[in-house]
Amino acid sequence: MAILKIARMGHPVLARPAAPVPDPGAPEIAALIEDMIATLADIGGRGLAAPQVHVPLRVVIFHAPETGDGELTRLVNPVIEPLGDTMEDGWEGCLSVPGLRGMVPRHARVRYRGVTPEGVAIDRMAEGLHARVVQHECDHLDGILYPMRMTDLGTLVFESELRWFATAAPVATADAEDNAA
Ligand code: NI
């Protein structure tokens, strides 16, 4: 296992679509995911997408307690489908955009599918923070960072100033240092 370097906003690997993984069961995909898990544990975050560690493949990992198993979800070739038209605002951060937070509208409910490196099919409904994290991570696979989803750049703020906003909305961050509340 290795701790990988995080690509930051401006690096081209974050700006282009990632390629589908032809063989999710390949040993190099299992090794990549092990390294991503070690990297996420080291840096302390909620989720990570492969392009964030300079690998342009459709692989994400994330913690979402709402999944019920309390475990890290590992997804290869994930696909997301919005359920309904309801959008929800919530705070997000990103390991590739360090130090900042922004208010981002996301679909309140989604269905997502993918496969684990062991070949187990995942097919879940998600809402709330769970849905937000999945959308944030899968956006990385399409070259999208959360500021590109924001509708009010007046809410793009430094983490240290978030307290001025925190009373106005619950803080639920995706992908950044874990301070979800
Ligand atoms: Ni991110």
Side-chain angles (χ1 to χ4, degrees):
M1 280 199 306
I3 309 283
L4 305 173
K5 186 181 177 192
I6 303 285
R8 302 205 292 180
M9 183 166 62
H11 193 291
V13 73
L14 294 173
R16 45 182 188 238
V21 176
D23 177 10
E28 55 266 33
I29 296 303
L32 167 65
I33 290 175
E34 286 305 306
D35 287 348
M36 287 171 64
I37 291 171
T39 302
L40 187 62
D42 178 68
I43 203 164
R46 182 169 284 282
L48 195 61
Q52 291 185 276
V53 292
H54 304 83
V55 177
L57 292 174
R58 302 188 83 81
V59 175
V60 299
I61 61 171
F62 56 86
H63 291 284
E66 299 87 343
T67 55
D69 55 14
E71 288 179 8
L72 189 80
T73 297
R74 302 160 303 145
L75 276 185
V76 180
N77 297 334
V79 175
I80 288 193
E81 173 190 342
L83 297 176
D85 297 327
T86 306
M87 306 293 285
E88 278 177 358
D89 282 336
W91 290 101
E92 296 188 17
C94 181
L95 296 171
S96 296
V97 191
L100 297 177
R101 291 284 189 273
M103 182 72 81
V104 185
R106 297 285 188 187
H107 294 285
R109 297 182 70 239
V110 298
R111 176 185 184 184
Y112 65 94
R113 282 169 281 189
V115 64
T116 72
E118 292 81 24
V120 177
I122 302 271
D123 185 348
R124 291 178 181 155
M125 311 288 189
E127 57 186 17
L129 181 58
H130 183 183
R132 177 170 300 278
V133 171
V134 174
Q135 289 169 87
H136 178 115
E137 298 310 332
C138 289
D139 263 359
H140 278 299
L141 306 182
D142 292 325
I144 297 169
L145 298 176
Y146 79 79
M148 298 159 70
R149 294 285 191 194
M150 292 178 65
T151 51
D152 178 4
L153 285 175
T155 65
L156 185 62
V157 302
F158 283 100
E159 201 175 8
S160 56
E161 306 296 345
L162 189 62
R163 60 202 161 97
W164 300 108
F165 292 81
T167 52
V171 176
T173 63
D175 179 304
E177 304 83 63
D178 192 350
N179 67 346

